[in-house]
Amino acid sequence: MSKPEIVKPESTKPKEQFVQSVFESIAPKYDMMNDLLSFRMHKTWRKFTMQKMNVQQGDSALDVCCGTCDWTISIAEASKTGSVYGLDFSPNMLSVGQTKIDRDGWQDNITLKQGNAMDLPFEDNTFDYATIGFGLRNVPDLEKTLREMQRVVKPGGMVVCLELSKPTWQPFKGIYYFYFQNLLPLMGRVVAKSYEQYKWLPDSLIAFPGREELAGIFRNIGLQQVQAYPLTGGIAALHIGIKEKQHV
Ligand SMILES: C[S@@+](CC[C@H](N)C(=O)[O-])C[C@H]1O[C@@H](n2cnc3c(N)ncnc32)[C@H](O)[C@@H]1O
């Protein structure tokens, strides 16, 4: 008798392939689910981040893992005349993003590219900003991604990461983890009709470094003046680092 074929569950596929398939499938509902699952808190976090970035007219930026381009568009609005790129490996996420860019009239300022966050298709020292929003958790090698972001910003330029994080204060931590690990995937199943995809969210946070640890990684790769801001009790965090002026 021949051996039965072993069907591997999705989560044992290589991370990159699995993550890509997740975002390909949830793309049409991503924005709606983002509002719902974060109780629209992501909008406040994005606003705070833009204040800290202080983008000036004409500044250039690369938004890595841009997805449906909320942050990409905010940067273009602040920069007005600068060129802004968005990069993502999911064609479906990019397609939703492009529709929003066209709708808002930013097609002359924003260029979308399909590509990998760990191997950015840009020259060294190109941008004033490299940003990554809720993307670093998803990449197989976060340090490589941050090094790539550092490579493509100009000396003195800013590497910015807005990401979910791990609250440290009990009992808030307990309530949060209960919501995140149990209720959130359930809401994903009921509203977006996909359980496995929304189960990925809490799973991806388990292996992700906490706020101080991530700040340490920013420093280790050579970023300067590193700042780490906890958001909403540490549910999310904003990390900012500056590329050294004499970076070689
Ligand atoms: C949670 S979404 C965030 C989208 C957007 N930045 C935002 O703030 O809403 C994560 C995005 O990262 C993309 N992504 C994950 N891993 C990637 C990689 N290795 N290279 C490029 N894009 C990646 C996914 O396709 C997805 O669009």
Side-chain angles (χ1 to χ4, degrees):
M1 205 173 82
S2 62
K3 278 188 181 172
E5 190 193 349
I6 297 170
V7 181
K8 290 185 179 171
E10 284 285 271
S11 55
T12 61
K13 278 187 192 172
K15 182 170 177 174
E16 207 170 272
Q17 209 183 328
F18 174 71
V19 169
Q20 192 175 25
S21 75
V22 165
F23 287 101
E24 279 293 272
S25 70
I26 66 173
K29 291 187 174 156
Y30 176 81
D31 285 342
M32 182 266 287
M33 290 303 285
N34 228 3
D35 281 355
L36 180 74
L37 299 177
S38 78
F39 303 101
R40 292 176 71 88
M41 276 185 302
H42 73 107
K43 298 214 184 256
T44 314
W45 301 337
R46 292 179 199 275
K47 206 183 261 181
F48 176 78
T49 300
M50 286 302 295
Q51 279 166 8
K52 291 291 170 196
M53 285 170 67
N54 192 23
V55 176
Q56 300 296 305
Q57 178 159 356
D59 282 349
S60 59
L62 169 64
D63 187 22
V64 179
C65 295
C66 63
T68 59
C69 296
D70 274 359
W71 199 357
T72 329
I73 293 171
S74 297
I75 296 167
E77 283 168 356
S79 160
K80 297 183 180 73
T81 52
S83 69
V84 177
Y85 282 79
L87 176 133
D88 201 285
F89 68 7
S90 161
N92 288 348
M93 292 291 275
L94 287 174
S95 156
V96 175
Q98 189 64 57
T99 305
K100 286 155 72 176
I101 289 165
D102 296 344
R103 178 198 68 196
D104 295 354
W106 289 109
Q107 58 273 31
D108 293 340
N109 306 61
I110 301 177
T111 310
L112 298 186
K113 259 183 189 269
Q114 193 188 349
N116 198 312
M118 296 180 300
D119 185 14
L120 298 175
F122 297 98
E123 299 287 320
D124 298 359
N125 309 323
T126 303
F127 301 101
D128 295 301
Y129 296 88
T131 59
I132 185 162
F134 311 104
L136 201 57
R137 215 173 0 100
N138 293 292
V139 298
D141 190 335
L142 72 93
E143 191 174 317
K144 194 170 178 190
T145 303
L146 289 172
R147 282 187 191 280
E148 274 294 88
M149 292 170 69
Q150 178 174 228
R151 179 182 67 75
V152 301
V153 292
K154 298 171 186 170
M158 217 182 242
V159 172
V160 188
C161 172
L162 175 61
E163 187 50 276
L164 295 178
S165 193
K166 300 172 182 181
T168 48
W169 180 68
Q170 286 286 20
F172 180 62
K173 185 178 168 185
I175 296 166
Y176 174 67
Y177 277 112
F178 180 78
Y179 165 72
F180 207 53
Q181 289 178 323
N182 299 288
L183 300 183
L184 185 144
L186 223 60
M187 283 159 81
R189 169 148 64 197
V190 173
V191 184
K193 308 275 176 276
S194 44
Y195 177 80
E196 190 63 20
Q197 283 82 350
Y198 284 93
K199 178 78 179 65
W200 163 247
L201 248 169
D203 288 352
S204 64
L205 191 61
I206 290 167
F208 194 67
R211 190 173 71 247
E212 286 311 320
E213 204 185 331
L214 185 56
I217 297 171
F218 266 56
R219 290 188 193 99
N220 283 346
I221 66 164
L223 287 163
Q224 313 279 302
Q225 300 168 49
V226 174
Q227 295 168 72
Y229 301 93
L231 304 168
T232 318
I235 291 178
L238 168 65
H239 288 78
I240 295 180
I242 307 287
K243 180 168 172 175
E244 216 182 330
K245 284 262 161 58
Q246 265 77 43
H247 192 85
V248 280

